[in-house]
Amino acid sequence: MATRRNSTDDPLAPVTLAVGQEDLLLDRAVQHVVAAARAADSDTDVRDLTPDQLQPGTLAELTSPSLFAERKVVIVRNAQDLSADTVKDVKAYLGAPAEEITLVLLHAGGAKGKSLLDAARKAGAREVACPKTTKPAERLSFVRSEFRALGRSATPEACQALVDSIGSDLRELASAVSQLVADVEGTIDEAVVGRYYTGRAEASSFTVADRAVEGRAAEALEALRWSLSTGVAPVLITSALAQGVRAIGKLSSARGGRPADLARELGMPPWKIDRVRQQMRGWTPDGVATALMAVAAADAGVKGGGDDPEYALEKAVVAVARAARSAGR
């Protein structure tokens, strides 16, 4: 993932400002500074503080000259939540930072506490962007960068499969990349990712939905039974079915255009536009309506409206696949 910094990229700069709400990236920004400080001085004193621990006067006490001139890293988390008096202390410190001390400010980046954010930037703080990843393309870029950072290659299909399987949690994605790199030799491909992560609940529920909207009833039922046997919650499967059918309905009624344009219009990533285009061939408005009613009935069944959630799901899967087939597949 691209990281924006200011003109200085020295982790031992007097002040580092980590801005954003992605916890993994914020933690890595801190770890980078601490590692650099301890590489320079193994006895570096690290103080990791929350707003309630940083009272007026505390920063001055922590950054006062030491008899032994020890190196110190002072980390302030959730800086946007500091009290007004403590913000004054921090701003005063920014004007004359102490030698051998690195101050790390973690700030969410919103309107709250913006005056401190502006003051740190004006003072020339080294800045690390830690934005929340909200788009599949950003998570895909993150996975690719993780493989590169570990000196390993993975195919584009493998990276996409990992994002599809793991979901949106960057910590889990980073952990999965590390696990694959540790366990697998050579280039990591889609088959390897499938062996490791196909069993994830989110991935398996969407497999059921994909096969159903493609009209492949037997494969959808097989995927359904496997998902249920591995503990996937029925409500996840009805949710995936609903999303799959709705995506077909949205795209079929949208104006033609490039995937990027349709993605903006429909709120889908471009790669999903391409996938849904392949799945929707032959679907009719009546077929979409019929499939949605079947999924709604199943959803009610798995949420207590029926005696047998598995049977309700089987009926929905068959109904969706039948709607796809009757549409001319």
Side-chain angles (χ1 to χ4, degrees), residues 4-77:
R4 179 177 60 81
R5 298 187 174 109
N6 67 353
S7 58
T8 176
D9 195 25
D10 179 8
L12 295 182
V15 181
T16 286
L17 179 63
V19 184
Q21 299 179 44
E22 187 58 68
D23 289 341
L24 174 66
L25 301 183
L26 290 167
D27 285 346
R28 285 184 173 180
V30 170
Q31 292 163 9
H32 190 199
V33 172
V34 172
R38 286 185 168 155
D41 181 354
S42 60
D43 293 325
T44 294
D45 181 19
V46 177
R47 303 295 180 93
D48 198 331
L49 305 170
T50 55
D52 62 303
Q53 296 173 311
L54 198 63
Q55 301 300 319
T58 304
L59 183 62
E61 182 180 325
L62 289 173
T63 57
S64 59
S66 168
L67 180 63
F68 303 102
E70 64 180 352
R71 182 176 292 278
K72 186 180 293 184
V73 176
V74 178
I75 303 154
V76 179
R77 296 184 182 272

Side-chain angles (χ1 to χ4, degrees), residues 246-260:
R246 288 194 193 107
I248 288 173
K250 282 183 177 181
L251 192 55
S252 63
S253 61
R255 299 185 303 273
R258 297 177 305 165

Side-chain angles (χ1 to χ4, degrees), residues 140-169:
L140 185 59
S141 176
F142 173 79
V143 167
R144 289 170 176 163
S145 67
E146 289 291 289
F147 279 117
R148 284 196 300 270
L150 294 173
R152 293 295 297 277
S153 61
T155 66
E157 293 78 13
C159 294
Q160 184 65 67
L162 197 60
V163 171
D164 289 345
S165 297
I166 300 298
S168 60
D169 192 306

Side-chain angles (χ1 to χ4, degrees), residues 255-272:
R255 299 185 303 273
R258 297 177 305 165
D261 297 330
L262 288 170
R264 285 191 294 272
E265 180 184 341
L266 302 178
M268 298 181 193
W271 64 264
K272 188 170 183 179

